[in-house]
Amino acid sequence: ENGEEADGENTIVAGTAPGFPPFEMVEDGELVGFDIDLLEAVVDETEYELAEWEQLEFDSLIPALDNGNIDVIAAAMTISEERQEQIAFSDPYYSSDQSILVQTGGDFQPESLDDFEGQTVGAQSGTTGETVVRDDLIEAGIIDEGDYTSFDNYVLAVEDLESGLIDAVVLDEPVAETFEAERDVEVAFVYETGEEYGFGIRQEDEDLQAALSDGVAAVEESSEYEEITSTWFGE
Ligand code: ARG
């Protein structure tokens, strides 16, 4: 708010990576989405104050946290062992799997990753979707490294899928469903990964980590979590 000093010890800056609907996107020039509403509700439960949102590319979020440009990541970020070597997470606030998106009514209608031979695939740089491509398609010997395109965000990947430049996109299931509803793409199948999203913080910020986890629990216990879910998922 105007006139409020935003440099107190308990003031935090959040970072996100829009282009990931309905978790974070820019609509009419405004940053909106599930993560935006949820983090704001969670921080309201704590003694911290959210000063501002920084919009970054997904693979710049952890470096920005490390160098102090942001204090918390709210970007549908999956809690993983690899990331936990660098950062800490709040308790989980959402569960997801991966999905395979293809052109609606297109020639490529895979039922499993084994059907990907000779196909081209896209994902967002630094995501768990990219990890599925690297580990379960390239390392597994199903596609070649050259058949994979890494995108700065999933909107660009879906645009290339719509125009037939790539055959499939691997991404988080709720986001795939949103693109399916809004664009000329459809979910071919769900690839179960059992992921959970958490808010990312620096490992030394233990007080903030505890406050955010308590805040997640409080928001989930109140009616707010359901309200935010129904706003963005219409459930
Ligand atoms: N859940 C996936 C991950 O952690 C994808 C997150 C992408 N988030 C975004 N805001 N673009 O890698």
Side-chain angles (χ1 to χ4, degrees):
E1 270 167 46
N2 269 345
E4 241 174 46
E5 282 298 315
D7 52 10
E9 221 179 90
N10 285 341
T11 298
I12 53 173
V13 175
T16 191
F20 204 62
F23 292 98
E24 39 265 346
M25 60 269 196
V26 175
E27 274 177 3
D28 302 323
E30 209 194 328
L31 179 68
V32 296
F34 178 90
D35 281 335
I36 313 308
D37 286 353
L38 184 66
L39 183 68
E40 287 178 0
V42 165
V43 171
D44 268 349
E45 298 286 341
T46 71
E47 61 191 12
Y48 292 87
E49 208 161 313
L50 193 53
E52 58 177 319
W53 283 93
E54 292 279 345
Q55 299 178 32
L56 298 163
E57 273 165 14
F58 187 75
D59 60 11
S60 303
L61 288 168
I62 291 179
L65 188 64
D66 269 342
N67 68 29
N69 285 350
I70 60 174
D71 304 299
V72 54
I73 297 170
M77 186 175 273
T78 302
I79 301 168
S80 73
E81 273 177 28
E82 202 185 326
R83 287 174 181 154
Q84 278 170 320
E85 285 170 18
Q86 278 178 280
I87 65 169
F89 286 93
S90 70
D91 286 348
Y93 64 81
Y94 203 88
S95 306
S96 173
D97 290 304
Q98 294 293 305
S99 276
I100 312 304
L101 266 187
V102 296
Q103 245 182 25
T104 307
D107 292 337
F108 184 45
Q109 295 291 340
E111 285 167 11
S112 76
L113 293 188
D114 293 328
D115 296 336
F116 272 67
E117 224 162 296
Q119 307 293 321
T120 54
V121 186
Q124 182 179 26
S125 176
T127 61
T128 50
E130 180 170 78
T131 304
V132 168
V133 175
R134 291 204 185 285
D135 293 355
D136 303 341
L137 286 173
I138 297 171
E139 285 293 312
I142 300 171
I143 66 166
D144 294 330
E145 178 86 48
D147 295 326
Y148 172 58
T149 307
S150 173
F151 292 86
D152 283 342
N153 66 65
Y154 272 116
V155 175
L156 298 173
V158 168
E159 283 169 2
D160 272 15
L161 178 61
E162 281 180 307
S163 57
L165 290 170
I166 52 174
D167 299 309
V169 172
V170 182
L171 78 172
D172 298 40
E173 201 221 339
V175 182
E177 279 174 15
T178 306
F179 282 126
E180 178 176 62
E182 293 174 355
R183 289 165 174 268
D184 214 12
V185 294
E186 63 184 346
V187 174
F189 65 91
V190 173
Y191 186 68
E192 275 176 36
T193 50
E195 296 172 55
E196 290 192 305
Y197 302 161
F199 298 121
I201 48 259
R202 282 178 291 275
Q203 284 175 339
E204 65 266 28
D205 287 347
E206 285 164 11
D207 291 347
L208 178 58
Q209 179 184 27
L212 292 175
S213 291
D214 289 350
V216 167
V219 169
E220 282 177 350
E221 276 164 31
S222 76
S223 56
E224 272 180 299
Y225 188 88
E226 233 174 271
E227 282 165 22
I228 296 169
T229 304
S230 89
T231 301
W232 297 107
F233 293 93
E235 277 156 20

